[in-house]
Structure formats: C-alpha cells, structure tokens
Amino acid sequence: SYQVNLTGGLVVSKDITKYIEMLRTFPLAESFEPSLEVLAEIANLFVIGPEALRDRLRGGSALAGIDKADLRPYIQMREDARSVGVQAVLNAM
C-alpha cells in the first residue's frame, strides 16, 4: 500500500532473494521453481528502469506467463510510476 522508491526496491529485492534462498533449503517439488522465479522477477519490477521494465514485460522472463493486469498494481507502486517512461510502459500493457 506504500510507494516504493529505488532504495526501498533494493531492500525488497534483497529480502525476497533471501526468502527464496530459504525456501530452496526445503525439499520442494520441482513445480515450485517457476513460482520462485516469478517472485524474484516481481521484486525486480521495483529496481529496473523503464526501458528494462518494458523488455521484461514483453516476454522472455518468468513474467511472460503472468497476466499483465496482475502486474500493473506492482508497477503503479513505484515512486516513478507517474514518469513519462513508466507511464509509457503502463499504457502499452
């Protein structure tokens, strides 16, 4: 429910990476791996620039199978969500 600036995005990304590392210590089924990759990619949404954001959403990443409408709320929580670059990405979704 809070906006996330670049520093906060780095903290979120670091925390999620640690969380994923902890989850991988458990004997999880292989079917969980794609979910962990998506979790890491969602964290990255807060730290990458608008151009990289556009590329991630186009495909080729773990986010390719996720409905764009489900990703929009995360992107809108970025501190720079009202910038021209991020607005262009949101309008293209």
Side-chain angles (χ1 to χ4, degrees):
S1 65
Y2 299 102
Q3 281 193 321
V4 180
N5 63 18
L6 183 57
T7 303
L10 291 171
V11 171
V12 167
S13 182
K14 180 181 171 187
D15 287 350
I16 288 180
T17 299
K18 295 250 184 218
Y19 180 66
I20 291 169
E21 288 173 4
M22 187 268 311
L23 286 173
R24 286 190 171 135
T25 65
F26 292 96
L28 299 175
E30 288 291 320
S31 60
F32 281 99
E33 188 60 32
S35 297
L36 298 178
E37 290 176 18
V38 167
L39 189 58
E41 286 293 326
I42 288 174
N44 287 334
L45 292 178
F46 295 105
V47 295
I48 59 178
E51 201 56 44
L53 179 61
R54 178 179 331 204
D55 292 340
R56 292 275 171 97
L57 296 175
R58 280 190 187 142
S61 74
L63 298 175
I66 305 299
D67 189 333
K68 302 300 184 248
D70 292 333
L71 297 173
R72 181 178 288 272
Y74 294 103
I75 297 168
Q76 289 174 326
M77 295 312 297
R78 290 172 54 126
E79 185 179 56
D80 65 346
R82 294 182 188 249
S83 71
V84 173
V86 176
Q87 282 297 307
V89 171
L90 288 169
N91 290 334
M93 291 177 74

